[in-house]
Amino acid sequence: MSALLLAACGSPSAPERDEGYDVAEQNYRELHHALLVIDSHLDTPANLSNPDFDVLADNPSKLGRVQVDLPKMERGGLDGGFWVIYTPQGPLNVTSYEAAKLAALKRSDEILQLIEMHPNEFELATTADDAERIAASGKKIVYKSIENSYPLGTDLGMIEEFYNRGVRLIGPVHFMDNQFADSATDLSASDLGGLTPLGEELIREANRLGMMIDASHAADSALEAIMEVSSTPVVLSHTGVSSLYDHPRNISDDLLRKVAADGGVIQINALGAYIEDLEPPAERVEAMEALSEEFNGISPFDLSSNERERYLARRQEINETYPMPLSSFEVFMDQMLHALAIVGPDHVGMGADWDGGGGVAGMEDVSDLPKVTERLLEEGYSKEDLEKIWGGNLLRIMRQAEAAKQN
Ligand SMILES: [Zn+2]
């Protein structure tokens, strides 16, 4: 079925035929590379301040290190995506807000510097129409997004500041409850009722500016509140389904149906510990316990910013020395196929959490993305379905956000 379908799509230039030419393989790769392929959550900006990282080079691709650079994007047919300004959660006070704001602005500037340094390879995108245009020009698409709105403090005027710097997707919360929302993974007793009043204002202000809302990391109650308040559909930029693996980062089939009924999209993540029960190696458990003791069991949330940085650097070290065991490509695909079975190809996409913990055995970095296309074709999904899954759905919501913009 897929061979027929692919023959119908046509291809601009027939590849050299050589020994072992595999028609099906050649065709799914051609189709994949012809599609507009966007990932909704690239943590790659975290690498930009690393002097060893060269975005134009094929950096060592050991899982957990560099998963996105230009050669890998070319091989994997990844046209670009949402490049994340991520801020770890810190204490809710004026001094910490200020430090977080400066760090987020710096990260935003680093994304712009990437584009300024490589203007023939990357371009900042700020509208849905930009994606096609930039991809057609042979450059990679750089949308900006915010993961964790903590650095806004209580000054919602900062949303417009970030909008003016190109941010088009904003997520209120990360691992811990904050001034805006309940987090999916904050198991402390506090319950903010989903969104705080300030969180509701954040959603309205993002709507007013024409920015999309990202409810990944939000607690179920916060996701429901976001859908209630937002005038445009919600994006789950890197999330999984809990009916296959019950983790607080994932959502139930019922809630997923609500997201779809609201016009929203789930972008499936590929972070092993969120998609199956993976036992960490004993050395890792020991090292993590030693780290906790070293910091007297204090949560990083309650550490001073210097100490928190030291803690996070040590944790990164442990991650690299004793990595979590890997999940597999099939477990990732099960997540995607389940979401597709529940809500259909208009409401599913991909946000693998590249350079942020994502990646599975068999799909270690973005060079392996054509495998997803191959697998979806095998399952009977059409070229039109693939166009939606790889970016069309996300851009549809972006157009809705643009249309809802008020001056
Ligand atoms: Zn995340």
Side-chain angles (χ1 to χ4, degrees), residues 41 43 147 174-175 217 238 249 353:
H41 193 82
D43 271 315
E147 180 175 41
H174 192 243
F175 283 154
H217 288 285
H238 57 305
R249 276 286 281 113
D353 212 349

Side-chain angles (χ1 to χ4, degrees), residues 374-393:
E374 179 189 33
R375 188 78 171 79
L376 292 172
L377 289 170
E378 280 169 10
E379 290 293 329
Y381 289 97
S382 67
K383 177 179 179 258
E384 287 68 32
D385 296 334
L386 286 160
E387 280 171 349
K388 294 174 189 171
I389 294 166
W390 277 123
N393 293 333

Side-chain angles (χ1 to χ4, degrees), residues 153-378:
T154 55
D155 175 10
L156 295 182
M158 281 307 295
I159 306 176
E160 187 156 9
E161 176 69 38
F162 278 104
Y163 178 90
N164 291 337
R165 289 165 187 253
V167 172
R168 293 295 181 269
L169 172 67
I170 186 165
V173 68
H174 192 243
F175 283 154
M176 316 279 286
D177 297 350
N178 66 9
Q179 68 269 43
F180 301 112
D182 279 314
S183 160
T185 45
D186 190 337
L187 306 176
S188 63
S190 70
D191 180 2
L192 308 171
L195 286 173
T196 66
L198 192 67
E200 291 185 7
E201 278 183 57
L202 177 145
I203 304 303
R204 289 195 193 95
E205 177 63 0
N207 283 164
R208 184 186 73 81
L209 291 164
M211 223 186 242
M212 293 185 287
I213 316 290
D214 183 359
S216 265
H217 288 285
D220 288 353
S221 57
L223 167 57
E224 300 231 31
I226 288 168
M227 286 194 278
E228 189 78 34
V229 175
S230 177
S231 62
T232 60
V234 71
V235 173
L236 297 164
S237 73
H238 57 305
T239 292
V241 291
S242 62
S243 62
L244 295 188
Y245 179 52
D246 193 10
H247 187 285
R249 276 286 281 113
N250 298 338
I251 71 165
S252 70
D253 291 352
D254 278 349
L255 196 46
L256 180 54
R257 286 190 188 97
K258 276 194 192 176
V259 168
D262 194 48
V265 66
I266 182 171
Q267 306 279 114
I268 303 295
N269 83 47
L271 197 149
Y274 296 161
I275 58 178
E276 68 174 306
D277 191 7
L278 296 171
E279 281 293 319
E283 295 94 326
R284 179 187 170 91
V285 176
E286 268 171 40
M288 284 294 189
E289 280 170 6
L291 177 65
S292 174
E293 265 172 45
E294 188 183 329
F295 287 85
N296 300 315
I298 300 170
S299 135
F301 181 77
D302 296 321
L303 294 169
S304 70
S305 65
N306 273 350
E307 281 293 278
R308 190 165 58 250
E309 215 160 277
R310 204 165 67 80
Y311 175 96
L312 293 174
R314 292 270 292 106
R315 200 171 66 184
Q316 172 74 9
E317 233 175 79
I318 296 171
N319 278 333
E320 283 172 17
T321 318
Y322 308 114
M324 280 293 291
L326 292 185
S327 191
S328 69
F329 180 66
E330 274 313 309
V331 171
F332 164 76
M333 283 308 306
D334 286 348
Q335 286 268 329
M336 182 172 262
L337 292 170
H338 181 82
L340 284 165
I342 296 293
V343 291
D346 286 328
H347 303 285
V348 179
M350 188 157 166
D353 212 349
W354 297 118
D355 289 323
V360 291
M363 188 177 68
E364 277 86 358
D365 60 53
V366 297
S367 355
D368 293 319
L369 293 183
K371 288 184 182 176
V372 178
T373 289
E374 179 189 33
R375 188 78 171 79
L376 292 172
L377 289 170
E378 280 169 10

